[in-house]
Amino acid sequence: MGYIAVAIDGPSGAGKSTVARAAAARLGYVYVDTGAMYRAIGLAVCRRGIEEGDTAGILAVLPEIRLAITYQNGAQHVLLNGEDVSEAIRTPEIARYASKVSAVPAVRQFLLDVQRGMAENGNILMDGRDIGTVILPQAQVKIFLTASVEARAERRYLELREKGQDVTREQVAADIAERDRQDMTRAIAPLRQAEDAVLLDTSALTLEESIQAVLRIIQEKTEE
């Protein structure tokens, strides 16, 4: 019996990770946040004082990176060279670094085999920017989860403020708009909706409504 793979793609701040994590838990699927992997590499680059756009510097760091995903009480933890960086990677600065490093072909190749291998060992729900188009093009279920820039900025602003970060709504909205531009215009695996993906706009939905919508799509697609 083959395993079920669910690919959820979408722009920054759309709530992919939160919704995907909850949906996977309710289904009993393994959840993989690929964006966290790119953020971890971005963190490694940032910590070494390498500029976001320094491709040579980024390539030089790759051989020094050991990346692992572990699960504790059902929650995914990202380990960078043995250090749990799950919280350290969730800042606007590291988000920008993640966008830059993800545009480097060698970085994407570095992670590709790891990500595909995860889908061979059980039912999996993976979210990111190019899961349905590049990483898991044969996934049985593909969802493109999005929301307006305004809705995404408000959610991210409240999340960051709750974590004690001193940001403004305008700053967060500008960061999200720039991340969209970078993700959609990069030469390698740009953000786009797969032709066979279901579009889900959560601008006017609550978190629970978004989770339920994803679960309905998965149920409908796996029963076809």
Side-chain angles (χ1 to χ4, degrees):
M1 179 178 176
Y3 294 116
I4 295 173
V6 179
I8 299 184
D9 292 308
S12 176
K16 297 186 303 298
S17 297
T18 304
V19 172
R21 185 183 298 109
R26 296 185 192 186
L27 292 167
Y29 287 16
V30 172
Y31 166 65
V32 180
D33 174 6
T34 62
M37 296 179 176
Y38 287 107
R39 284 172 177 261
I41 294 177
L43 178 63
V45 170
C46 179
R47 283 179 169 178
R48 286 164 175 75
I50 298 168
E51 294 296 327
E52 299 171 21
D54 183 355
T55 301
I58 293 170
L59 294 178
V61 168
L62 284 182
E64 305 171 13
I65 292 177
R66 289 181 296 108
L67 204 57
I69 301 292
T70 64
Y71 294 88
Q72 300 172 25
N73 299 320
Q76 174 183 278
H77 288 258
V78 182
L79 304 183
L80 174 62
N81 296 333
E83 176 193 352
D84 189 337
V85 295
S86 303
E87 289 298 321
I89 61 176
R90 299 297 175 183
T91 68
E93 179 184 25
I94 299 307
R96 291 193 297 273
Y97 266 90
S99 185
K100 290 293 186 179
V101 301
S102 68
V104 178
V107 172
R108 305 195 73 83
Q109 189 59 49
F110 178 79
L111 293 176
L112 181 61
D113 291 340
V114 175
Q115 294 165 349
R116 284 182 174 169
M118 291 178 174
E120 297 175 356
N121 300 310
N123 295 332
I124 193 167
L125 196 159
M126 189 177 294
D127 79 86
R129 299 291 191 280
D130 61 349
I131 310 305
T133 55
V134 177
I135 307 301
L136 301 177
Q138 303 305 318
Q140 295 92 328
V141 185
K142 297 179 185 178
I143 300 171
F144 192 83
L145 192 152
T146 189
S148 67
V149 171
E150 293 77 15
R152 287 185 281 143
E154 181 64 16
R155 293 170 185 170
R156 181 60 60 82
Y157 168 76
L158 293 175
E159 176 188 348
L160 294 174
R161 292 289 293 183
E162 186 175 336
K163 292 181 178 180
Q165 296 187 31
D166 185 17
V167 294
T168 65
R169 286 182 172 83
E170 293 75 19
Q171 177 187 343
V172 173
D175 285 343
I176 285 178
E178 176 59 18
R179 182 73 188 272
D180 285 352
R181 187 194 66 77
Q182 292 176 356
D183 288 344
M184 291 187 290
T185 60
R186 68 188 181 208
I188 305 297
L191 170 66
R192 65 179 178 84
Q193 180 179 340
E195 292 183 3
D196 54 347
V198 177
L199 177 64
L200 176 59
D201 189 321
T202 66
S203 299
L205 301 182
T206 64
L207 173 57
E208 181 58 29
E209 289 170 340
S210 300
I211 295 168
Q212 290 297 329
V214 165
L215 291 173
R216 282 195 300 273
I217 294 170
I218 294 173
Q219 180 179 12
E220 291 169 1
K221 288 295 183 179
T222 53
E223 291 180 349
E224 288 181 352

